Amino acid sequence: MDKPLDELGDPQRRTLLKRAAWGLSIAPATLAALAAEPALLSVQDPAAKAVHYVEDASHAQGAASGADCSSCSIYGATGADRGTCTLFPGKLVKATGWCSSWSGM
Ligand code: SF4
């Protein structure tokens, strides 16, 4: 289709408009994929190691009973099993995790 739009016949114009509509319809899905959820914090991350972060609070030394990320005052749930922590911008922590900076509500 090298012709200008006003020189196209009805079938060609219809095809072009369908393709444009299809392209617009997938744009939100593409944008959503690009705005994918941040990665989970790795226990190997130096910042995680600095505060003794673990993914399972029951394996943490020094964690009070019932203390985990989901009960921490700076945790923000983004899903059932994970959420944000202001200590680790751009990463998610496990709801069951814990670190030595845990702070109760
Ligand atoms: Fe989890 Fe709170 Fe430590 Fe963040 S500060 S990793 S939410 S226990």
Side-chain angles (χ1 to χ4, degrees), residues 59-96:
H59 296 154
Q61 291 184 343
S65 178
D68 63 13
C69 290
S70 71
S71 63
C72 182
S73 63
I74 61 173
Y75 177 77
T78 60
D81 66 342
R82 62 194 60 193
T84 59
C85 167
T86 55
L87 284 186
F88 305 106
K91 301 278 182 174
L92 296 178
V93 295
K94 291 221 170 190
T96 56

Side-chain angles (χ1 to χ4, degrees), residues 12-36:
Q12 290 172 309
R13 194 175 305 165
R14 202 171 296 133
T15 299
L16 181 64
L17 291 174
K18 280 182 185 174
R19 288 181 181 162
W22 182 82
L24 289 174
S25 70
I26 66 164
T30 303
L31 291 174
L34 291 174

Side-chain angles (χ1 to χ4, degrees), residues 1 3 7 17-18 20-21 52 54 83-84:
M1 293 195 190
K3 296 179 185 176
E7 291 181 16
L17 291 174
K18 280 182 185 174
H52 311 288
V54 293
T84 59

Side-chain angles (χ1 to χ4, degrees), residues 37-69:
E37 184 175 81
L40 274 173
L41 176 67
S42 166
V43 295
Q44 300 303 318
D45 186 306
K49 284 184 171 183
V51 291
H52 311 288
Y53 173 77
V54 293
E55 292 184 332
D56 184 347
S58 68
H59 296 154
Q61 291 184 343
S65 178
D68 63 13
C69 290

